[in-house]
Amino acid sequence: IKLFRWQNIIMKVLCAVKRVVDYAVKPRVAPDGLGVLLKNIKMSMNPFCEIAVEQAVQLKEAGVADEVIAVSVGPKQAQETLRTALAMGADRAIHIQTDMRPDSDLQPLAVAKILAHVAEEEEAGLFVLGKQAIDDDSNQTGQMVAGLLDWPQATFLCDFKIEGEGFVAEREVDGGIQRISGPLPCVITTDLRLNEPRYATLPNIMKAKKKKIATKKLKDLDIDITSRHEVLDVSEPAERSAGIMVEDVDDLMVKLKEAGAL
Ligand code: AMP
């Protein structure tokens, strides 16, 4: 049995980072109509994953985590995303390499199985993930990692603390903040207001070059990654009709009435 070693205060924190199309890029549908074009497109770390790395690094700085390990499942270039995590303060990284299409073929259950496998192998005490990847908008992976590991989960967090041998977290829910607590090990997912991720400074980018990225090929892991659904087609959003300029507020009111909006 693999033992979680919180009692000896050796806590490894894993954080999952996904390489996605940069949030500022307007994606275009690929010619095969089954995904978006990724060639020559600016790719970056998923913004919620930046928040995950920041959370993990802050725990290390606060002395409650010993090691921060960034994990990414994706093509060779996912190593750039891992380097960013290392420059933000992660200690080492694990790259599970696959050329499966990250926004359609590589589905959340498959990623969750891989991440759960890494968590067991590393005997992690905490797994931090983004609440959602901005390419597939699935919002499934963290929840499924928790399910597969049979760990408690705290999702959509705006605050997180280790207290005693467990955690206390705050979640933004309709009409307020929900405080919850639970034991470790656990899985958490980050919402926008949890923290403000730091920028990787030049000296830290240089230091990160010396940190280790362990690479494994997905096909060498004995994990069933069969797709659970098929993408039938991906289409561009409907074109918006052009707007019109109004003279002043009175004109706006007239136009709104004419359009039946008032
Ligand atoms: P999703 O369920 O696809 O919306 O993704 C939620 C979170 O799961 C992301 O913010 C990442 O932390 C993690 N994740 C999803 N896909 C990957 C991947 N290919 N590699 C690493 N982490 C991932």
Side-chain angles (χ1 to χ4, degrees), residues 12-207:
K12 289 189 194 176
V13 178
L14 287 176
C15 49
V17 294
K18 186 175 186 186
R19 175 177 178 267
V20 296
V21 173
D22 187 86
Y23 71 92
V25 169
K26 187 176 181 296
R28 294 251 154 249
V29 173
D32 67 1
L34 294 175
V36 297
L37 273 175
L38 297 179
K39 217 171 166 199
N40 300 328
I41 297 285
K42 181 171 183 226
M43 306 289 285
S44 306
M45 186 188 296
N46 180 47
F48 293 107
C49 301
E50 290 180 350
I51 301 174
V53 177
E54 178 64 36
Q55 177 60 58
V57 173
Q58 283 187 15
L59 288 172
K60 187 173 172 193
E61 286 169 347
V64 289
D66 296 275
E67 194 181 26
V68 175
I69 308 158
V71 191
S72 194
V73 186
K76 214 161 156 238
Q77 299 89 324
Q79 296 208 1
E80 292 159 18
T81 311
L82 288 170
R83 285 277 168 223
T84 306
L86 294 171
M88 288 174 72
D91 298 292
R92 62 183 167 96
I94 299 172
H95 176 210
I96 309 294
Q97 193 180 331
T98 169
D99 287 324
M100 285 171 83
R101 223 163 161 150
D103 58 343
S104 55
D105 293 343
L106 183 60
Q107 295 176 1
L109 179 59
V111 175
K113 285 182 188 171
I114 298 161
L115 297 179
H117 168 81
V118 173
E120 277 177 337
E121 231 178 38
E122 290 289 342
E123 302 177 40
L126 175 68
F127 212 137
V128 196
L129 298 91
K131 74 164 179 183
Q132 156 179 353
I134 61 166
D135 55 354
D136 61 16
D137 272 346
S138 294
N139 174 13
Q140 297 178 21
T141 311
Q143 293 88 329
M144 291 200 284
V145 172
L148 291 166
L149 290 169
D150 199 18
W151 289 5
Q153 60 175 298
T155 53
F156 293 47
L157 296 190
C158 58
D159 194 54
F160 179 77
K161 286 191 181 60
I162 301 284
E163 278 189 19
E165 293 187 2
F167 71 88
V168 178
E170 288 183 0
R171 321 179 52 234
E172 282 180 19
V173 293
D174 242 6
I177 304 278
Q178 182 187 55
R179 282 185 78 229
I180 58 171
S181 69
L184 294 170
C186 74
V187 172
I188 64 173
T189 73
T190 63
D191 211 334
L192 214 53
R193 277 169 285 274
L194 182 61
N195 59 48
E196 273 193 34
R198 69 195 67 190
Y199 287 103
T201 60
L202 194 60
N204 286 341
I205 292 173
M206 300 311 287
K207 265 192 235 157

Side-chain angles (χ1 to χ4, degrees), residues 179-243:
R179 282 185 78 229
I180 58 171
S181 69
L184 294 170
C186 74
V187 172
I188 64 173
T189 73
T190 63
D191 211 334
L192 214 53
R193 277 169 285 274
L194 182 61
N195 59 48
E196 273 193 34
R198 69 195 67 190
Y199 287 103
T201 60
L202 194 60
N204 286 341
I205 292 173
M206 300 311 287
K207 265 192 235 157
K209 292 191 179 171
K210 296 208 185 88
K211 294 184 182 175
K212 255 194 140 153
I213 300 182
T215 303
K216 285 184 187 166
K217 291 224 172 2
L218 175 55
K219 62 176 166 48
D220 295 339
L221 303 180
D222 187 20
I223 294 177
D224 172 17
I225 47 152
T226 325
S227 301
R228 299 301 157 124
H229 63 258
E230 186 189 349
V231 175
L232 299 179
D233 70 280
V234 174
S235 49
E236 302 272 355
E239 287 270 329
R240 281 180 62 188
S241 51

